[in-house]
């Protein structure tokens, strides 16, 4: 994964109220990043600054690829009721100055990528909210966009539509796109997000230092109830989580790269290994932090 964009020391205030205070982080290629935080914490403001819609007071957004195209999708429902999705996308593409031929090809590709071919000639006012949301994202991708900025894309969708949109986001990632989105329900993000950034007090707290943590969960049977104090110093390895059931069972979660070290430490003690479970990296990040 390569860095495609860096947000450096961004600060923003409205009417002397500091909303963003020295925010820095990177966005990598082919990853989905979620910005989470309370209402009014500055998520939308930050997305608008990254998308070039709002100016910041201080700092800069650096594109590692100068030609990087960014598509911004705000949290508003489209009201172009008399258009079909195809007409709407064509119209918006023409406004952006795209040629008729390349536009037609692009729109065809997008309908396939978004699994929306059947709805291309249906009036927009007859489409579900989830489908309208997809069309807004497709619109943002008409120019060769590589980074998508989505403000609350799952908001107001029923569980089925949310699931469908989550799958769409995953297939966009698989097709080489990067996505930064906001979401207030962290549970919804479990299946799609690689990295979570929490905005609090104008600052960003990076929830995971690496985009993906590959980890293993190891369950040990300790030789006796008192041996936890003797055992723990043996595993001076960065642990993601340690759980002791108060009896003789100890569960330790470590990164994949530290697994061999911990197994060696166990062999040097009298503990026995009961289980080794490879963990889904995305799920583990969320279980750890929420
Ligand atoms: P979030 O997306 O996390 O709910 P916002 O970025 O929308 O937060 O807003 C952060 C703060 O900035 C809020 O207090 C909001 O009232 C204020 N704010 C946002 N946009 C403007 C604006 N254009 N003018 C004045 N204040 C604004």
């Amino acid at each position: 994964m390569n860095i495609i964009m860096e947000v450096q020391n961004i600060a923003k205030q409205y009417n002397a109220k500091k909303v963003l205070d020295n925010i820095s982080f990177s966005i990598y290629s082919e990853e989905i990043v979620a910005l989470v935080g309370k209402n009014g914490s500055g998520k939308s403001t930050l997305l608008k600054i990254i998308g070039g819609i709002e100016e910041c007071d201080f700092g800069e957004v650096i594109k590692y690829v100068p030609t990087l195209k960014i598509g911004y999708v705000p949290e508003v429902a489209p009201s172009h009721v008399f258009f079909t999705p195809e007409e709407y996308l064509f119209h918006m593409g023409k406004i952006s100055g795209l040629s008729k031929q390349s536009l037609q090809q692009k729109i065809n590709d997008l309908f396939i990528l978004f699994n929306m071919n059947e709805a291309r000639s249906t009036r927009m006012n007859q489409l579900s909210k989830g489908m309208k949301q997809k069309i807004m994202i497709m619109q943002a991708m008409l120019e060769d966009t590589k980074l998508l900025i989505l403000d609350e894309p799952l908001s107001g969708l029923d569980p089925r539509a949310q699931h469908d949109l989550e799958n769409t986001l995953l297939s966009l990632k698989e097709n080489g796109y990067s996505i930064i989105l906001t979401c207030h329900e962290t549970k919804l993000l479990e299946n799609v997000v690689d990295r979570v950034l929490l905005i609090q007090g104008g600052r960003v707290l990076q929830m995971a230092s690496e985009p993906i943590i590959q980890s293993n969960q190891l369950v040990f049977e300790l030789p006796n109830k008192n041996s936890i104090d003797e055992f723990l110093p043996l595993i001076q390895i960065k642990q993601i989580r340690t759980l002791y059931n108060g009896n003789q069972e100890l569960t330790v979660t470590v990164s994949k790269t530290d697994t061999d070290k911990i197994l060696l430490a166990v062999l040097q003690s009298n503990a026995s290994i009961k289980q080794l479970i490879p963990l889904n990296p995305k799920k583990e990040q969320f279980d750890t932090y929420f």
Side-chain angles (χ1 to χ4, degrees), residues 1-269:
M1 275 203 269
N2 304 313
I3 295 179
I4 56 165
M5 173 179 273
E6 204 165 322
V7 172
Q8 258 184 12
N9 311 111
I10 295 286
K12 174 81 182 172
Q13 60 179 44
Y14 289 116
N15 312 321
K17 185 188 162 205
K18 217 180 246 182
V19 176
L20 303 174
D21 181 15
N22 199 22
I23 287 192
S24 302
F25 61 90
S26 305
I27 301 175
Y28 294 79
S29 59
E30 293 165 54
E31 72 161 347
I32 304 181
V33 181
L35 276 180
V36 299
K38 288 184 185 154
N39 264 344
S41 58
K43 301 183 296 295
S44 297
T45 303
L46 183 54
L47 288 193
K48 283 181 197 154
I49 290 171
I50 296 171
I53 287 150
E54 189 84 49
E55 298 253 324
C56 53
D57 301 332
F58 189 80
E60 56 184 325
V61 174
I62 300 164
K63 291 180 183 176
Y64 272 52
V65 184
T67 52
L68 176 76
K69 286 237 163 67
I70 304 171
Y72 172 79
V73 183
E75 192 197 354
V76 285
S79 53
H80 310 84
V81 288
F82 299 114
F83 285 112
T84 66
E86 184 158 22
E87 289 165 347
Y88 174 70
L89 292 174
F90 208 82
H91 182 67
M92 297 314 281
K94 291 293 280 179
I95 291 174
S96 304
L98 299 174
S99 77
K100 196 174 166 183
Q101 206 178 9
S102 71
L103 197 49
Q104 195 61 64
Q105 182 61 49
K106 186 83 196 175
I107 290 172
N108 288 344
D109 294 346
L110 285 171
F111 274 118
I112 292 166
L113 184 61
F114 279 73
N115 198 18
M116 285 281 286
N117 234 343
E118 282 174 21
R120 62 192 292 160
S121 305
T122 309
R123 283 252 174 105
M124 298 261 281
N125 61 345
Q126 287 168 18
L127 298 180
S128 67
K129 192 157 190 261
M131 283 173 158
K132 286 181 191 160
Q133 181 65 267
K134 280 189 181 182
I135 292 160
M136 290 300 102
I137 302 173
M138 289 160 82
Q139 183 199 325
M141 292 171 67
L142 285 174
E143 295 179 71
D144 286 321
T145 315
K146 275 290 169 200
L147 172 65
L148 282 167
I149 301 177
L150 312 180
D151 201 349
E152 296 284 347
L154 299 174
S155 123
L157 303 189
D158 62 45
R160 217 172 117 192
Q162 280 175 357
H163 184 67
D164 183 43
L165 192 60
E166 281 177 359
N167 284 337
T168 303
L169 299 182
L170 284 174
S171 76
L172 289 179
K173 181 179 125 168
E174 275 162 24
N175 279 278
Y177 296 91
S178 301
I179 299 169
I180 180 161
L181 53 83
T182 57
C183 187
H184 56 269
E185 284 184 69
T186 48
K187 270 274 154 207
L188 295 179
L189 301 167
E190 273 187 1
N191 304 320
V192 289
V193 164
D194 297 302
R195 209 151 47 104
V196 175
L197 304 173
L198 172 69
I199 299 202
Q200 202 173 289
R203 300 252 173 173
V204 153
L205 304 178
Q206 186 118 2
M207 304 305 275
S209 54
E210 294 295 324
I212 290 171
I213 298 172
Q214 294 276 352
S215 56
N216 286 315
Q217 189 180 70
L218 297 113
V219 184
F220 304 115
E221 174 90 32
L222 301 174
N224 57 62
K225 277 191 190 178
N226 302 326
S227 64
I228 179 91
D229 293 335
E230 299 154 31
F231 188 77
L232 275 180
L234 274 177
I235 48 173
Q236 283 174 342
I237 293 159
K238 199 175 160 210
Q239 296 144 45
I240 297 168
R241 189 194 307 162
T242 306
L243 283 176
Y244 182 51
N245 75 351
N247 215 343
Q248 278 171 255
E249 198 174 281
L250 183 71
T251 306
V252 184
T253 306
V254 291
S255 71
K256 258 204 169 117
T257 47
D258 282 339
T259 302
D260 285 353
K261 284 189 241 166
I262 203 161
L263 287 173
L264 196 66
V266 173
L267 284 176
Q268 287 163 358
S269 73

